[in-house]
């Protein structure tokens, strides 16, 4: 059996996902069940568009419930570091390549689930288990770190900025 991957979340992201799961189980399921029951009362199910739509909605919702349950089982919640300049799960990190402050990259250290629906979908996300994520985790603004890229090359970067993620 494959090892389950840790899902890194901020406390806020964990709570949002937990609340979504609770809402789906307590409100979503009964609402969809009522739609299915109402559509059944209309008669012939083979040509009942409302019934089939409600069943599709139910399947999608049950898939999301299963996804959330698995994600929350595998979640590790990152705590806010004492030093606000320290890279931790849930921080936006700006790095510079080759000591060139003009060649920078900004990313979220954590998991894509930390991003809300309203967040910029262009935000890059690196897991703490990734080579870059592992190298910067615990480093502070101004630190130089190295990591091995998937192609085997060693890459040096400087931490230019660290900011809390307001997801």
């Amino acid at each position: 059996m494959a090892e389950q991957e840790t899902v890194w979340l901020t406390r806020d992201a964990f709570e949002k996902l937990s609340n979504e799961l609770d809402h789906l189980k307590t409100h979503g399921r009964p609402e969809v069940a009522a739609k299915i029951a109402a559509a059944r009362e209309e008669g012939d199910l083979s040509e009942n568009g409302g019934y089939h739509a409600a069943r599709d909605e139910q399947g999608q919702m049950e898939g999301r419930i299963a996804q959330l349950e698995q994600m929350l089982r595998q979640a590790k919640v990152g705590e806010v570091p004492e030093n606000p300049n320290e890279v931790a799960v849930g921080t936006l990190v700006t790095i510079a390549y080759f000591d060139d402050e003009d060649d920078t990259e900004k990313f979220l250290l954590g998991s894509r689930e930390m991003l809300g629906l309203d967040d910029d979908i262009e935000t890059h996300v690196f897991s703490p288990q990734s080579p870059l994520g592992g190298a910067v985790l615990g480093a502070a603004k101004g630190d130089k770190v190295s990591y091995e890229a998937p192609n085997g090359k060693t890459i040096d970067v400087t931490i230019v900025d660290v900011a809390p993620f307001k997801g």
Side-chain angles (χ1 to χ4, degrees):
M1 183 174 194
E3 182 179 324
Q4 291 184 344
E5 183 177 326
T6 300
V7 176
W8 292 88
L9 300 172
T10 61
R11 172 66 49 203
D12 286 344
F14 183 86
E15 288 174 8
K16 284 178 189 175
L17 294 173
S18 295
N19 289 338
E20 179 185 353
L21 177 62
D22 182 59
H23 177 78
L24 290 174
K25 286 181 164 183
T26 59
H27 293 91
R29 280 179 170 159
E31 288 171 8
V32 171
K35 287 180 187 179
I36 291 171
R40 272 195 181 130
E41 291 177 8
E42 293 174 9
D44 183 13
L45 298 182
S46 65
E47 295 182 19
N48 187 329
Y51 173 78
H52 294 290
R55 293 289 298 183
D56 287 346
E57 182 180 351
Q58 180 184 43
Q60 290 174 359
M61 184 177 54
E62 290 301 327
R64 179 64 176 160
I65 288 171
Q67 178 188 32
L68 288 169
E69 287 175 337
Q70 180 178 358
M71 191 182 314
L72 293 171
R73 268 194 309 273
Q74 296 170 212
K76 179 162 181 171
V77 178
E79 300 302 325
V80 177
E82 290 181 26
N83 177 354
N85 292 321
E86 182 180 311
V87 178
V89 172
T91 55
L92 286 174
V93 183
T94 304
I95 57 172
Y97 293 94
F98 312 110
D99 293 326
D100 180 1
E101 298 230 358
D102 292 329
D103 184 17
T104 63
E105 180 177 358
K106 187 176 193 176
F107 62 89
L108 170 66
L109 183 66
S111 67
R112 179 127 325 261
E113 290 76 21
M114 296 170 86
L115 299 175
L117 296 177
D118 297 332
D119 292 323
D120 179 6
I121 59 171
E122 297 299 317
T123 299
H124 295 281
V125 180
F126 286 94
S127 163
Q129 293 99 329
S130 70
L132 175 57
V136 300
L137 184 63
K141 185 175 177 178
D143 286 354
K144 295 179 187 298
V145 298
S146 298
Y147 69 97
E148 187 176 322
N151 64 6
K153 291 185 180 181
T154 298
I155 299 176
D156 299 317
V157 298
T158 301
I159 310 292
V160 175
D161 193 34
V162 179
F165 178 67
K166 308 258 192 249

